[in-house]
Amino acid sequence: MDWVKSRIRTIPDYPKPGILFRDITTLLGDAQGFRKAVDEMVQPYAGCGIDKVAGIDARGFILGGAVAHQLSVGFVPIRKKGKLPWQTFGQDYALEYGYDKLEIHQDAVVKGQRVLIVDDLIATGGTAEAAVMLLQRIGATVVGCTFVIDLPEMGGTRKLEALGCPVKALCAYEGH
């Protein structure tokens, strides 16, 4: 999908030397590109009985909100620890150095609801894996995960597929 890559800015050595940061703010700022990205993320799931779209903090909120709107379903934010004001369920996950936690409101998803997870990028998959595990633990059926960018060499897609979660991405980049 060259049209997507042509709208994503690559920033070398950000946030640290050796990293090629894939910046989707240029895609989001382009009305036609943003619209097309959302349409392409929605298309495989239209008519599949999705009950909710869950977006992962923070760019997953931008894309997930638009995908939920297009599917005419509710949106559920999955946030970093301490950011939600009501009672939450949480899921710890490993970082490169240490641990972090994702949280969801306890009343955000009803047992048995079919949920689509949305985020901007899948790399190592730690955060997305925690989101899938959190939703599955509270009784949701995770229908799939959709991303703008996949970094397949980082192994995130394989982690999610091992949890029984199909993964779709609009484009992929080699390397990290």
Coordinates of all heavy atoms in Angstrom, one line a residue, residues 96-148:
E96 N 10.8 -2.9 27.7 CA 12.2 -3.2 27.6 C 12.9 -3.2 28.9 O 13.7 -4.1 29.2 CB 12.8 -2.2 26.6 CG 14.2 -2.6 26.2 CD 14.8 -1.7 25.1 OE1 14.0 -0.9 24.6 OE2 16.0 -1.8 24.8
Y97 N 12.6 -2.3 29.7 CA 13.2 -2.2 31.1 C 12.0 -2.0 32.1 O 11.7 -0.8 32.3 CB 14.2 -1.1 31.2 CG 15.3 -1.2 30.2 CD1 15.4 -0.4 29.1 CD2 16.3 -2.1 30.5 CE1 16.4 -0.6 28.2 CE2 17.4 -2.3 29.6 CZ 17.4 -1.5 28.5 OH 18.5 -1.6 27.6
G98 N 11.5 -3.0 32.6 CA 10.4 -2.9 33.6 C 9.1 -3.3 33.1 O 9.0 -4.1 32.2
Y99 N 8.0 -2.8 33.8 CA 6.7 -3.2 33.6 C 5.8 -2.0 33.5 O 6.1 -0.9 34.1 CB 6.1 -4.1 34.7 CG 6.8 -5.5 34.6 CD1 8.0 -5.7 35.3 CD2 6.2 -6.5 33.8 CE1 8.6 -7.0 35.2 CE2 6.8 -7.7 33.8 CZ 8.0 -8.0 34.4 OH 8.6 -9.2 34.4
D100 N 4.6 -2.1 32.8 CA 3.6 -1.1 32.8 C 2.3 -1.8 32.9 O 2.2 -3.0 33.0 CB 3.7 -0.2 31.6 CG 3.2 1.2 31.8 OD1 2.5 1.4 32.8 OD2 3.5 2.1 31.0
K101 N 1.2 -1.0 32.9 CA -0.1 -1.6 33.1 C -1.1 -0.8 32.2 O -1.1 0.4 32.1 CB -0.6 -1.5 34.5 CG -1.8 -2.1 34.9 CD -2.1 -2.1 36.4 CE -3.0 -3.2 36.9 NZ -3.0 -3.3 38.3
L102 N -2.0 -1.6 31.5 CA -3.1 -1.0 30.8 C -4.4 -1.2 31.6 O -4.5 -2.2 32.4 CB -3.3 -1.7 29.5 CG -2.3 -1.4 28.4 CD1 -2.7 -2.2 27.1 CD2 -2.2 0.1 28.1
E103 N -5.3 -0.3 31.5 CA -6.6 -0.4 32.2 C -7.8 -0.1 31.3 O -7.7 0.6 30.3 CB -6.6 0.6 33.4 CG -5.6 0.2 34.5 CD -5.5 1.2 35.7 OE1 -5.9 2.4 35.5 OE2 -5.2 0.8 36.7
I104 N -8.9 -0.6 31.7 CA -10.2 -0.4 31.0 C -11.3 -0.3 32.1 O -11.2 -0.9 33.2 CB -10.5 -1.6 30.1 CG1 -11.7 -1.4 29.2 CG2 -10.6 -2.9 30.9 CD1 -11.9 -2.5 28.2
H105 N -12.3 0.6 31.9 CA -13.4 0.7 32.8 C -14.1 -0.7 33.0 O -14.3 -1.4 32.0 CB -14.4 1.7 32.4 CG -14.0 3.1 32.7 ND1 -14.2 4.2 31.9 CD2 -13.3 3.6 33.8 CE1 -13.8 5.3 32.5 NE2 -13.2 5.0 33.7
Q106 N -14.5 -1.0 34.2 CA -15.1 -2.3 34.4 C -16.4 -2.4 33.7 O -16.9 -3.5 33.4 CB -15.4 -2.4 35.9 CG -14.1 -2.7 36.7 CD -14.3 -3.0 38.1 OE1 -15.4 -3.0 38.6 NE2 -13.2 -3.1 38.9
D107 N -17.1 -1.3 33.3 CA -18.4 -1.4 32.6 C -18.3 -1.0 31.1 O -19.2 -0.8 30.4 CB -19.4 -0.4 33.3 CG -19.0 1.0 33.2 OD1 -17.8 1.3 32.8 OD2 -19.8 1.9 33.7
A108 N -17.0 -1.1 30.6 CA -16.8 -0.7 29.2 C -17.3 -1.7 28.2 O -17.7 -1.4 27.1 CB -15.4 -0.3 29.0
V109 N -17.1 -3.0 28.6 CA -17.5 -4.1 27.7 C -18.3 -5.1 28.5 O -17.9 -5.5 29.6 CB -16.2 -4.8 27.2 CG1 -16.5 -6.0 26.3 CG2 -15.4 -3.8 26.4
V110 N -19.3 -5.6 27.9 CA -20.2 -6.7 28.5 C -19.7 -8.0 28.0 O -19.3 -8.2 26.8 CB -21.7 -6.5 28.1 CG1 -22.5 -7.6 28.6 CG2 -22.2 -5.1 28.6
K111 N -19.7 -9.0 28.9 CA -19.2 -10.3 28.6 C -19.9 -10.8 27.3 O -21.1 -10.7 27.2 CB -19.5 -11.3 29.7 CG -19.0 -12.7 29.5 CD -19.2 -13.5 30.8 CE -18.6 -14.9 30.5 NZ -18.7 -15.8 31.7
G112 N -19.1 -11.3 26.4 CA -19.6 -11.9 25.1 C -19.6 -10.9 24.0 O -19.8 -11.3 22.8
Q113 N -19.4 -9.6 24.3 CA -19.3 -8.6 23.2 C -18.1 -8.9 22.3 O -17.1 -9.3 22.8 CB -19.3 -7.2 23.7 CG -20.6 -6.7 24.3 CD -20.7 -5.2 24.6 OE1 -19.8 -4.7 25.2 NE2 -21.7 -4.6 24.1
R114 N -18.3 -8.6 21.0 CA -17.3 -8.7 20.0 C -16.5 -7.4 19.8 O -17.2 -6.4 19.5 CB -17.9 -9.2 18.7 CG -18.5 -10.6 18.9 CD -19.4 -11.0 17.7 NE -18.8 -10.8 16.4 CZ -18.0 -11.7 15.8 NH1 -17.7 -12.8 16.4 NH2 -17.5 -11.4 14.6
V115 N -15.2 -7.4 20.1 CA -14.4 -6.2 20.1 C -13.3 -6.2 19.1 O -12.6 -7.2 18.9 CB -13.8 -6.0 21.5 CG1 -13.0 -4.7 21.6 CG2 -14.9 -5.9 22.6
L116 N -13.2 -5.1 18.4 CA -12.1 -4.9 17.5 C -11.1 -3.9 18.1 O -11.5 -2.8 18.6 CB -12.6 -4.3 16.1 CG -11.5 -3.8 15.1 CD1 -10.7 -5.1 14.6 CD2 -12.2 -3.1 14.0
I117 N -9.8 -4.3 18.2 CA -8.8 -3.4 18.7 C -8.1 -2.6 17.6 O -7.7 -3.2 16.6 CB -7.7 -4.3 19.5 CG1 -8.4 -4.9 20.7 CG2 -6.5 -3.4 19.9 CD1 -7.5 -5.9 21.5
V118 N -7.9 -1.3 17.9 CA -7.3 -0.4 16.9 C -6.1 0.3 17.5 O -6.2 0.8 18.6 CB -8.3 0.6 16.4 CG1 -7.7 1.6 15.4 CG2 -9.5 -0.1 15.7
D119 N -5.0 0.4 16.7 CA -3.8 1.2 17.2 C -3.1 1.6 15.9 O -3.4 1.1 14.8 CB -2.9 0.4 18.1 CG -2.1 1.4 19.0 OD1 -2.2 2.6 18.9 OD2 -1.4 0.9 19.9
D120 N -2.1 2.5 16.1 CA -1.4 3.0 14.9 C -0.3 2.0 14.4 O -0.1 1.9 13.2 CB -0.8 4.4 15.2 CG 0.3 4.4 16.3 OD1 0.1 3.6 17.2 OD2 1.2 5.1 16.2
L121 N 0.3 1.3 15.4 CA 1.5 0.5 15.0 C 1.7 -0.7 15.8 O 1.4 -0.7 17.0 CB 2.8 1.4 15.1 CG 4.1 0.8 14.8 CD1 4.9 1.8 14.0 CD2 4.9 0.4 16.0
I122 N 2.1 -1.8 15.2 CA 2.4 -3.0 16.0 C 3.9 -3.3 15.8 O 4.3 -3.4 14.6 CB 1.5 -4.2 15.5 CG1 1.9 -5.5 16.3 CG2 1.6 -4.5 14.0 CD1 1.3 -5.6 17.6
A123 N 4.6 -3.3 16.9 CA 6.0 -3.6 16.8 C 6.3 -4.9 17.6 O 6.1 -6.0 17.1 CB 6.8 -2.4 17.4
T124 N 6.7 -4.8 18.9 CA 7.0 -6.0 19.7 C 5.7 -6.6 20.1 O 5.6 -7.8 20.5 CB 7.8 -5.6 20.9 OG1 7.1 -4.8 21.8 CG2 9.2 -5.0 20.6
G125 N 4.6 -5.8 20.2 CA 3.3 -6.4 20.5 C 3.0 -6.4 22.0 O 1.9 -6.9 22.3
G126 N 3.8 -5.9 22.8 CA 3.6 -6.0 24.3 C 2.3 -5.3 24.7 O 1.5 -5.9 25.4
T127 N 2.1 -4.1 24.2 CA 0.9 -3.3 24.6 C -0.3 -4.0 24.0 O -1.3 -4.1 24.7 CB 1.1 -1.9 24.2 OG1 2.3 -1.4 24.6 CG2 -0.1 -1.0 24.7
A128 N -0.3 -4.3 22.7 CA -1.5 -4.9 22.1 C -1.8 -6.3 22.7 O -2.9 -6.6 22.9 CB -1.2 -5.0 20.6
E129 N -0.7 -7.0 23.0 CA -0.9 -8.3 23.7 C -1.7 -8.1 25.0 O -2.6 -8.9 25.4 CB 0.4 -9.0 23.9 CG 0.3 -10.4 24.5 CD 1.7 -11.0 24.8 OE1 2.6 -10.3 25.2 OE2 1.8 -12.2 24.5
A130 N -1.2 -7.1 25.8 CA -1.9 -6.8 27.1 C -3.4 -6.5 26.8 O -4.2 -6.9 27.6 CB -1.1 -5.8 27.8
A131 N -3.6 -5.7 25.8 CA -5.0 -5.3 25.5 C -5.9 -6.5 25.2 O -7.0 -6.6 25.7 CB -5.0 -4.3 24.4
V132 N -5.3 -7.4 24.3 CA -6.1 -8.6 24.0 C -6.3 -9.4 25.3 O -7.5 -9.9 25.5 CB -5.3 -9.5 22.9 CG1 -6.0 -10.8 22.8 CG2 -5.2 -8.7 21.6
M133 N -5.3 -9.6 26.1 CA -5.5 -10.5 27.3 C -6.5 -9.8 28.2 O -7.3 -10.5 28.9 CB -4.1 -10.6 27.9 CG -3.1 -11.5 27.1 SD -1.4 -11.5 27.7 CE -1.6 -12.5 29.2
L134 N -6.4 -8.5 28.4 CA -7.4 -7.8 29.3 C -8.8 -8.0 28.8 O -9.7 -8.4 29.6 CB -7.0 -6.3 29.3 CG -7.9 -5.4 30.1 CD1 -7.9 -5.8 31.6 CD2 -7.4 -3.9 30.0
L135 N -9.0 -7.8 27.5 CA -10.4 -8.0 27.0 C -10.9 -9.4 27.1 O -12.0 -9.7 27.4 CB -10.5 -7.5 25.5 CG -10.4 -6.0 25.4 CD1 -10.1 -5.5 24.0 CD2 -11.8 -5.4 25.8
Q136 N -10.0 -10.4 26.8 CA -10.4 -11.8 26.9 C -10.7 -12.2 28.3 O -11.6 -12.9 28.6 CB -9.3 -12.7 26.3 CG -9.2 -12.6 24.8 CD -8.0 -13.4 24.2 OE1 -7.0 -13.7 24.9 NE2 -8.1 -13.7 22.9
R137 N -9.9 -11.6 29.2 CA -10.1 -12.0 30.7 C -11.4 -11.5 31.2 O -12.0 -12.1 32.1 CB -8.9 -11.4 31.5 CG -8.9 -11.9 32.9 CD -7.6 -11.4 33.6 NE -7.5 -10.0 33.3 CZ -7.3 -9.1 34.2 NH1 -7.1 -9.4 35.4 NH2 -7.2 -7.8 33.9
I138 N -11.9 -10.4 30.7 CA -13.2 -9.9 31.1 C -14.4 -10.4 30.3 O -15.5 -10.0 30.5 CB -13.2 -8.3 31.2 CG1 -13.1 -7.7 29.8 CG2 -12.2 -7.9 32.2 CD1 -13.2 -6.2 29.9
G139 N -14.1 -11.3 29.4 CA -15.2 -12.1 28.7 C -15.5 -11.6 27.3 O -16.4 -12.1 26.7
A140 N -14.7 -10.6 26.8 CA -15.0 -10.1 25.4 C -14.4 -11.1 24.4 O -13.5 -11.9 24.7 CB -14.3 -8.8 25.2
T141 N -14.9 -11.1 23.2 CA -14.4 -11.9 22.1 C -13.6 -10.9 21.3 O -14.2 -9.9 20.7 CB -15.5 -12.5 21.3 OG1 -16.2 -13.5 22.1 CG2 -14.9 -13.3 20.1
V142 N -12.3 -11.0 21.2 CA -11.5 -10.1 20.4 C -11.6 -10.6 18.9 O -11.0 -11.7 18.6 CB -10.1 -10.0 20.9 CG1 -9.3 -9.0 20.0 CG2 -10.1 -9.4 22.3
V143 N -12.3 -9.9 18.1 CA -12.5 -10.3 16.7 C -11.2 -10.1 15.9 O -11.0 -10.9 14.9 CB -13.7 -9.5 16.1 CG1 -13.8 -9.9 14.6 CG2 -14.9 -9.8 16.9
G144 N -10.4 -9.1 16.2 CA -9.2 -8.9 15.5 C -8.5 -7.6 16.0 O -9.1 -6.9 16.8
C145 N -7.3 -7.4 15.4 CA -6.6 -6.1 15.7 C -6.2 -5.5 14.4 O -5.8 -6.3 13.5 CB -5.3 -6.4 16.5 SG -5.6 -7.0 18.2
T146 N -6.4 -4.2 14.3 CA -6.0 -3.6 13.0 C -5.1 -2.4 13.3 O -5.3 -1.7 14.3 CB -7.3 -3.2 12.2 OG1 -6.9 -2.6 10.9 CG2 -8.1 -2.2 13.0
F147 N -4.1 -2.3 12.5 CA -3.1 -1.2 12.6 C -2.8 -0.5 11.3 O -3.1 -1.1 10.3 CB -1.8 -1.9 13.1 CG -1.9 -2.7 14.4 CD1 -2.2 -4.0 14.3 CD2 -1.8 -2.1 15.6 CE1 -2.3 -4.8 15.5 CE2 -1.9 -2.8 16.8 CZ -2.2 -4.2 16.7
V148 N -2.3 0.7 11.4 CA -1.8 1.3 10.1 C -0.5 0.6 9.7 O -0.3 0.3 8.6 CB -1.6 2.8 10.3 CG1 -1.0 3.5 9.1 CG2 -2.9 3.5 10.7

